[in-house]
Amino acid sequence: MNKQDKATVRIAGALCVQRGTRMLQAFADAITVSDHQEVDIFDPDTGEGYQRAPVTARVRKAARYYDEKRGRMPNPLLVNIRKDDMDAERVAVVVDADQSGYENAVLKGGNWVGTGRIEFTDNLSLWIYDGQHRAGGLNQLLSEQEDFEDFPVPISLTLGLDPGEEMREFYEVNTNAASVKTDLAWQLLTKMAEDDPELREMLAAEDRDWITRAYAVVDELEKLDGPWKGRFQEANRRKTRGDGVTIPKPQFARSLKPVLDMPSFKRADAATVAVVLNAYWTGIKQVMPEPFDEASDFVLQKGNGAVALHRVLPQVVEVVRSTGGRLGQPEGYAEVMAELPTLEGESVDNGGQRMIRSGADFWRVGSVASGFSGDAGRRRLSLLIQSRLPSPAETIQL
């Protein structure tokens, strides 16, 4: 360690090498954790980072638990010293015994268990990849009172993961255990698969590669001028009044599964699928424009509408093809979907009066369309739409 960096932090505990990765299981006082912690928050503008923004209510709840309820913290924070910081100038690993066994395990990707400590400079970052709300609760208490400075915080410290490996650990921990929200989990999965051929092969073998393909399609669809431009809500971005957002990106991506399962789209690139989707929805807008012009007042571009209309798209495509239409042009879809405004159903107003809604009003928030909740309800809605569609057999010219 550089002699000029006289102030160092020392944390001792159980040291191990797990398949070549160095790890330390230990306790550190709360002030040390607070002074060195960093959280890599996902930025929807740049695509950098991987964690959700902290939820203030959860931070406050953690603070109350440790303060008013005198709670304990048995589960460790998962933290990492990144690969770029693991140099002799800033970090030293001191092994109590069996130095050669430790070094051999690191070198050969093996396993080793012992004791030891790490020493690092005051300006080093400890990246938290699980436990940010508990750490945030301690930070709040430290800002309010001094008697939490020596609170022992359990940490599981990995040494030398790069940001990509750190992100993957975060993803695995939060999807296999506590479960991170789908919007961010799927986005992380897509991001990881871009740089990991083995992960892409595994997803394909498990028939889960449609998730990453769906996200790629959504990204391409966002670039096109059409009904969906500006409609998707990104992870870590709150919806605000008048922003035009109607649906979280993962909800739309999930609705694309029946589309991506079509044989003609199995190997199509994301840009091609996006062009077809854009033409399809533009055709729908041609026959029923009002729900698109006032999108926030209607459910057509929300979950129910996206799921139902993507379920019927395979049938619509077959009809368009059988009539000689082009899949990238909206006119063919407008012709096939001409009966969409004839959908009707019963709804109940605020006074309890039952009424029949049809046309664009069928899709208005609070109408029968928004009552088709759950997957079974959306299937019924899809069948209702299909009842207004011509079948491919009826359109084939012999």
Side-chain angles (χ1 to χ4, degrees), residues 83-300:
K83 185 176 182 179
D84 287 347
D85 292 332
M86 286 296 298
D87 60 75
E89 298 290 314
R90 307 186 67 192
V91 181
V93 181
V94 180
V95 180
D96 290 339
D98 192 18
Q99 181 75 29
S100 61
Y102 163 80
E103 293 176 353
N104 189 57
V106 173
L107 183 64
K108 296 184 177 181
N111 303 312
W112 177 89
V113 177
T115 60
R117 69 180 186 273
I118 60 166
E119 300 178 354
F120 55 89
T121 58
D122 281 340
N123 60 356
L124 192 85
S125 294
L126 299 177
W127 293 89
I128 297 179
Y129 58 91
D130 185 69
Q132 66 154 313
H133 289 99
R134 287 178 288 151
L138 292 177
N139 291 341
Q140 179 178 319
L141 293 173
L142 286 169
S143 68
E144 297 171 351
Q145 46 192 292
E146 294 182 357
D147 60 352
F148 271 87
E149 291 187 357
D150 62 351
F151 183 87
V153 180
I155 61 172
S156 178
L157 177 63
T158 51
L159 304 175
L161 301 183
D162 61 35
E165 293 171 312
E166 193 179 284
M167 177 175 67
R168 180 146 189 180
E169 290 293 327
F170 168 82
Y171 175 83
E172 293 295 340
V173 166
N174 284 281
T175 53
N176 293 332
S179 184
V180 69
K181 272 194 173 182
T182 302
D183 61 350
L184 189 54
W186 279 15
Q187 197 144 352
L188 295 180
L189 186 66
T190 303
K191 189 174 179 181
M192 290 186 292
E194 289 175 357
D195 303 318
D196 191 338
E198 290 185 5
L199 178 58
R200 291 198 297 271
E201 290 179 9
M202 181 193 75
L203 292 172
E206 296 177 353
D207 196 28
R208 289 199 300 151
D209 58 331
W210 70 268
I211 297 173
T212 57
R213 291 168 56 220
Y215 255 89
V217 170
V218 177
D219 288 339
E220 292 296 327
L221 189 58
E222 283 184 305
K223 300 173 185 177
L224 302 176
D225 288 328
W228 288 102
K229 193 172 184 66
R231 297 300 191 204
F232 301 120
Q233 182 178 2
E234 297 275 3
N236 279 351
R237 178 165 287 158
R238 292 185 178 181
K239 188 177 180 343
T240 58
R241 185 184 296 273
D243 63 5
V245 166
T246 61
I247 188 171
K249 183 180 284 190
Q251 191 172 20
F252 187 88
R254 189 184 299 113
S255 76
L256 292 177
K257 190 174 190 305
V259 179
L260 297 176
D261 283 343
M262 294 171 61
S264 54
F265 289 158
K266 276 284 190 181
R267 296 188 179 279
D269 61 77
T272 299
V273 179
V275 168
V276 172
L277 284 170
N278 198 51
Y280 174 56
W281 283 92
T282 301
I284 295 171
K285 183 177 180 180
Q286 288 179 3
V287 301
M288 196 167 58
E290 187 180 356
F292 294 88
D293 296 335
E294 303 172 27
S296 62
D297 295 331
F298 294 84
V299 298
L300 190 64

Side-chain angles (χ1 to χ4, degrees), residues 32-76:
T32 296
V33 174
S34 179
D35 285 348
H36 293 270
Q37 68 181 255
E38 296 279 359
V39 180
D40 204 348
I41 302 296
F42 173 75
D43 184 341
D45 292 323
T46 65
E48 299 297 320
Y50 61 87
Q51 292 208 46
R52 291 184 62 82
V55 178
T56 303
R58 290 184 62 187
V59 171
R60 289 174 178 167
K61 183 178 180 181
R64 286 197 300 272
Y65 175 72
Y66 296 126
D67 183 17
E68 298 169 11
K69 297 183 179 181
R70 300 189 63 79
R72 291 172 288 277
M73 188 189 293
N75 295 329

